[in-house]
Amino acid sequence: MPIPEDVTGDEIDKDVRQELQSLPKTLAEDVAKNLVMVARLIDEDPEGAYGYSRVALRLASRVAAVREAAGFAAYANQKYSEALSEFRAARRMTGNVELWPVMADCERGLGRPEKALDMAGAPEVHKLDKAGQVEMRLVAAGARRDMDQLDAAIVTLQSPELASNSVQPWTARLRYAYADALLAAGRESEAREWFAKAVEADRDGGTDASDRLAELDGVEFVDALDESDSATDQGDRPDDEGRDEKPDEKPDEKPDEKPDENKD
């Protein structure tokens, strides 16, 4: 797959670069460039990111960072079985537990929420950092919802992190998930409160909490372009194109009206 000229491979994380040092220099550069493309495209063009991940995987399947990138690219394309396989491979290579929550979410994607809940209660969870533990809580709550256990999902999300007033990278998503669960359970007023709190924490627009809040408040957004097109269709043009009134007629005077022979 083509690599843009502005991609050098130096953009990758230093830890990944260190992993690639086990490869011949030219090969390491090629792998690095493909990994950069995966990271660049994974949000906007998941299929493209997946293609680059397959190239990297073909070149260096024994590098943990490559297996992890391939896992995330597959995950972004909802190829959950493939993603889980890659994540497991990366974990075997490194012994790291940080992929545990996304591995559990793959189990959800494969229709196995019970397995995801088993993973949420495994010893590996205690080895996760705070962000990983919050992520695991989100996955567990999602698994509960998959099993139509709404009340249990709500309880799962209730935590010190949810109650905290400090804003962390996970805060908006945690509040959003809680609001969404409350709404699904029919607790609309509480859901509105938590969607509002999610908006406060969502500094980079990572969720659609503002839209959900507006929807609950009955606010409708009108597309300005559609409104303009509608006005044009009705003949409301700035230059009054199509008027029958003659330029020299005064506003208070009406011309002699004649019957329109074509009028029904």
Side-chain angles (χ1 to χ4, degrees):
M1 296 182 69
I3 304 289
E5 292 183 1
D6 65 317
V7 175
T8 65
D10 293 333
E11 302 90 340
I12 61 173
D13 183 89
K14 63 179 182 179
D15 293 334
V16 177
R17 188 180 299 112
Q18 185 173 356
E19 280 193 62
L20 295 180
Q21 288 179 356
S22 62
L23 303 174
K25 184 177 180 181
T26 301
L27 180 58
E29 289 176 353
D30 289 343
V31 173
K33 289 178 181 179
N34 280 280
L35 292 181
V36 170
M37 293 306 298
V38 173
R40 177 180 289 189
L41 297 177
I42 197 163
D43 292 328
E44 301 298 327
D45 181 11
E47 288 187 10
Y50 180 76
Y52 283 103
S53 76
R54 301 308 295 178
V55 175
L57 193 59
R58 187 172 66 249
L59 295 173
S61 62
R62 296 185 179 182
V63 176
V66 171
R67 303 302 289 266
E68 183 175 329
F72 278 110
Y75 179 82
N77 284 275
Q78 299 182 3
K79 299 177 183 291
Y80 297 117
S81 181
E82 184 178 328
L84 185 57
S85 177
E86 297 299 341
F87 289 142
R88 284 173 174 167
R91 184 167 180 267
R92 283 195 300 270
M93 292 176 180
T94 64
N96 202 315
V97 298
E98 65 183 23
L99 293 172
W100 196 253
V102 70
M103 290 169 63
D105 206 39
C106 286
E107 296 287 1
R108 286 186 59 213
L110 291 169
R112 301 194 291 249
E114 297 88 351
K115 178 61 176 176
L117 287 177
D118 287 343
M119 293 179 69
E124 284 82 355
V125 175
H126 300 295
K127 300 176 184 178
L128 295 169
D129 60 14
K130 182 62 68 176
Q133 290 179 3
V134 170
E135 194 65 34
M136 192 72 248
R137 189 178 292 276
L138 288 167
V139 173
R144 291 292 186 188
R145 292 191 62 173
D146 294 342
M147 300 166 67
D148 294 324
Q149 299 175 1
L150 283 176
D151 290 340
I154 291 170
V155 171
T156 299
L157 293 168
Q158 293 171 346
S159 61
E161 293 80 19
L162 180 67
S164 175
N165 290 324
S166 66
V167 175
Q168 303 295 334
W170 59 78
T171 302
R173 291 179 59 238
L174 184 59
R175 292 177 179 179
Y176 182 96
Y178 189 59
D180 193 49
L182 288 169
L183 188 61
R187 296 161 62 174
E188 187 172 315
S189 61
E190 293 174 84
R192 189 206 174 282
E193 175 187 350
W194 282 97
F195 274 127
K197 289 182 178 181
V199 171
E200 292 175 1
D202 195 2
R203 295 168 178 172
D204 59 357
T207 73
D208 65 345
S210 58
D211 292 339
R212 299 292 299 277
L213 182 61
E215 183 181 345
L216 286 174
D217 288 343
V219 177
E220 294 184 7
F221 296 98
V222 178
D223 191 317
L225 182 59
D226 290 344
E227 191 176 53
S228 175
D229 290 344
S230 176
T232 300
D233 291 341
Q234 296 174 14
D236 296 334
R237 302 179 178 88
D239 59 358
D240 290 327
E241 182 183 345
R243 285 194 311 179
D244 291 331
E245 187 178 41
K246 297 178 181 179
D248 58 348
E249 289 172 356
K250 297 180 181 179
D252 294 330
E253 294 179 354
K254 294 183 179 180
D256 294 334
E257 295 182 358
K258 294 182 181 180
D260 188 343
E261 294 179 357
N262 296 323
K263 187 174 182 181
D264 294 337

